[in-house]
Amino acid sequence: MSIPQSGGGPIERREQLAEYLASGCKPPEDWRIGTEHEKFGYVRGSHAPLPYETPKDGPPASVRAMLEGLRDRFGWDPVEESGHLIGLTRDGANVSLEPGGQLELSGAPLETLHQTCDESNRHLAEVKEIADEIGAGFIGLGAAPEWRHDEMPMMPKGRYRLMTGYMQSIGPWGTQMMYRTCTIQVNLDFGSEADMVQKLRVGLALQPVATALFANSPFFEGKINGQKSWRSRIWQDLDDQRTGMLPFVFEDGMGFERWADYALDVPMYFVYRDGKYIDALGQSFRDFIDGKLPALPGETPTLSDWADHLTTAFPEARIKKFIEMRGADGGPWRRICALPALWVGLMYDQGALDAAWDLAKDWTAEEREALRRDAARRGLEAEIRGRSMRDLAGEALDIAQAGLKARARAGAGGLIPDETHFLDALRETVDSGQTPADELLARYHGDWNGDLSKVYGEYSY
């Protein structure tokens, strides 16, 4: 989840909303890669989710102990809210907490996949060192395999208290998403409004490909759930006012102004003032602009309020001052680097981007939505127009590989000529036809003999 924004000045003109988005435009030489990945922490032995506070009895395994260990040993600066340690910052990167204590690295904006993978490797090594000492473990899956909602802690963040109440009011899916799912995401830049539109269209249309390739959540509450990506299934019926595949993005006239209109129609969650979250659930940012927000009568918003509000829309891909790809399950160590490799390969070379758009440009809104749902349920066996997802994913990987080769960003002091090897894990998935979820199910029905607790020992970092 995003941290509160600050600064930016007052919104005095409606045009500032789109101008804020447009200010993210950068020339290609300044495009960067920001990788985010979440993982579940648990108490070793009991496999219970990590509590926030360190318990008086038993191992000192807790979220707070984890953050304190990273802070004290590895030079992270603390982020606090109401006296609680709720995050860390260092060198442009952030460690933050999801509602149920999932630990997230929001990586710094970096030039190459070599750098972003080094950053992830360093972070996971630091996490493992502290976790081993406090009796904790971390596992990369798309959904918590066994835990029930009443077992989950709530992190001490005002935003989450507000969101939890709202999500409970609209059905069971929202709190499942908040407390018991994990994802890998990548944030990418755009060069112009037209470039943003093309990238967002490709990102939305091909997001089901990422969902299938990274499908890694076939278990929930101790049972097989009938989906390859339960995390993706949860998002399908969560909140139609702020989620989905956004058909309007593919219509004529799409641009920054159209996205601003969409975001204005998303009901508000909160306003952040003086270190506190003020309840504005269901209220309108349009009313806020007019000084008529019930939560803050007479006040008008700042650009930081707009930036915060943009983080409360949750489609499969979204824009702020950059584009976020949001369709993948959390996963094991080596797949963290594969997710940004897929999207950088598809989007940071114009030839690749054009080829990626050619894959999907004729699909209808209904077909895109059907593929999204089929990918969650069947992974690489999903179909569109009689074509298998396995075949589509293979072609997308070919395009991404060509894009990475064209980028020609060397690593290891020039010993590695480009970034294409970061796609290897995904190529293995396509070649075998087995998603991570398929591999988990095979183990569950095979040598695990239905004992789901085996997942902690064999799939933890």
Side-chain angles (χ1 to χ4, degrees):
M1 290 288 180
S2 300
I3 61 174
Q5 304 298 301
S6 61
I11 295 175
E12 299 172 332
R13 298 175 294 108
R14 168 71 174 72
E15 293 79 11
Q16 287 176 265
L17 306 181
E19 290 168 0
Y20 173 86
L21 300 169
S23 69
C25 293
K26 299 179 177 68
E29 60 268 23
D30 292 336
W31 291 352
R32 297 293 182 263
I33 306 161
T35 304
E36 303 180 15
H37 48 93
E38 303 163 359
K39 50 268 181 203
F40 294 109
Y42 63 90
V43 180
R44 286 189 178 170
S46 70
H47 299 156
L50 284 183
Y52 176 75
E53 294 287 358
T54 303
K56 295 180 180 179
D57 301 318
S62 71
V63 171
R64 186 182 185 98
M66 189 74 231
L67 293 176
E68 289 173 341
L70 292 172
R71 177 197 65 192
D72 296 342
R73 186 166 306 175
F74 298 110
W76 290 85
D77 294 322
V79 176
E80 296 188 351
E81 181 181 319
S82 301
H84 297 286
L85 181 62
I86 51 92
L88 305 164
T89 66
R90 186 184 68 191
D91 299 332
N94 299 287
V95 173
S96 60
L97 303 177
E98 293 297 295
Q102 306 97 309
L103 196 70
E104 176 181 9
L105 176 71
S106 296
L110 300 169
E111 292 187 41
T112 72
L113 291 166
H114 307 290
Q115 292 169 340
T116 200
C117 201
D118 287 346
E119 175 191 58
S120 294
N121 290 341
R122 179 184 179 187
H123 168 70
L124 291 173
E126 291 177 358
V127 166
K128 188 174 189 309
E129 184 171 326
I130 302 301
D132 286 348
E133 293 181 6
I134 65 174
F138 283 86
I139 191 166
L141 296 169
E146 296 184 297
W147 306 331
R148 298 184 181 275
H149 182 71
D150 58 9
E151 298 178 81
M152 302 306 300
M154 180 192 292
M155 297 301 101
K157 299 179 70 171
R159 175 180 175 131
Y160 296 157
R161 285 191 294 273
L162 292 175
M163 286 182 63
T164 297
Y166 171 76
M167 291 296 186
Q168 288 172 334
S169 74
I170 62 172
W173 303 103
T175 52
Q176 291 183 25
M177 175 276 292
M178 290 176 64
Y179 288 88
R180 291 182 287 168
T181 66
C182 282
T183 185
I184 307 170
Q185 297 178 184
V186 62
N187 304 321
L188 301 175
D189 289 314
F190 43 77
S192 65
E193 185 170 54
D195 185 45
M196 178 279 291
V197 171
Q198 187 179 18
K199 285 175 175 172
L200 185 59
R201 287 172 174 170
V202 168
L204 284 166
L206 296 186
Q207 207 63 222
V209 175
T211 297
L213 286 170
F214 287 82
N216 194 31
S217 46
F219 308 115
F220 199 64
E221 296 187 345
K223 301 175 183 177
I224 296 171
N225 57 47
Q227 305 279 324
K228 299 296 175 67
S229 173
W230 183 251
R231 183 206 57 82
S232 182
R233 172 65 186 89
I234 286 172
W235 280 107
Q236 291 168 18
D237 296 300
L238 193 154
D239 182 350
D240 60 9
Q241 295 185 96
R242 65 184 82 237
T243 65
M245 295 288 279
L246 307 186
F248 75 86
V249 169
F250 299 86
E251 296 171 357
D252 292 342
M254 175 57 194
F256 294 123
E257 186 70 31
R258 184 66 186 87
W259 188 271
D261 286 339
Y262 158 72
L264 284 171
D265 289 334
V266 172
M268 292 180 65
Y269 275 154
F270 60 81
V271 181
Y272 188 73
R273 288 289 184 274
D274 301 321
K276 296 181 179 179
Y277 288 90
I278 297 170
D279 186 344
L281 288 170
Q283 296 175 30
S284 167
F285 206 92
R286 295 181 192 275
D287 289 342
F288 199 6
I289 292 173
D290 293 334
K292 299 177 181 178
L293 190 73
L296 290 174
E299 280 201 38
T300 54
T302 65
L303 282 172
S304 63
D305 293 323
W306 178 235
D308 279 336
H309 182 61
L310 290 170
T311 70
T312 66
F314 307 121
E316 293 296 285
R318 70 181 178 188
I319 63 168
K320 297 186 282 190
K321 289 187 180 182
F322 46 83
I323 298 180
E324 296 182 5
M325 303 299 153
R326 300 171 46 81
D329 281 6
W333 197 311
R334 72 187 295 237
R335 297 181 77 84
I336 292 171
C337 304
L339 189 277
L342 173 65
W343 291 115
V344 169
L346 292 175
M347 293 193 171
Y348 272 11
D349 173 74
Q350 189 61 49
L353 183 59
D354 290 341
W357 179 231
D358 283 342
L359 289 178
K361 64 184 180 183
D362 295 329
W363 297 347
T364 66
E366 292 75 19
E367 287 172 325
R368 290 190 296 267
E369 179 62 26
L371 185 63
R372 174 198 184 202
R373 292 176 178 268
D374 205 16
R377 185 168 64 91
R378 297 200 294 158
L380 292 178
E381 295 175 355
E383 294 183 350
I384 183 167
R385 296 186 176 182
R387 187 182 192 189
S388 73
M389 176 66 81
R390 184 178 180 184
D391 180 51
L392 176 63
E395 188 167 353
L397 284 180
D398 289 342
I399 294 169
Q401 183 161 342
L404 293 178
K405 187 164 290 189
R407 266 172 57 83
R409 298 300 180 92
L415 296 177
I416 302 174
D418 56 40
E419 302 157 308
T420 55
H421 67 284
F422 292 113
L423 294 172
D424 287 351
L426 304 184
R427 185 66 69 184
E428 291 169 11
T429 295
V430 170
D431 289 347
S432 68
Q434 299 290 296
T435 68
D438 294 311
E439 295 170 6
L440 283 165
L441 289 167
R443 299 297 303 278
Y444 179 81
H445 291 298
D447 58 324
W448 292 357
N449 292 317
D451 182 1
L452 193 50
S453 68
K454 299 277 191 182
V455 74
Y456 299 96
E458 299 194 33
Y459 280 79
S460 293
Y461 295 123

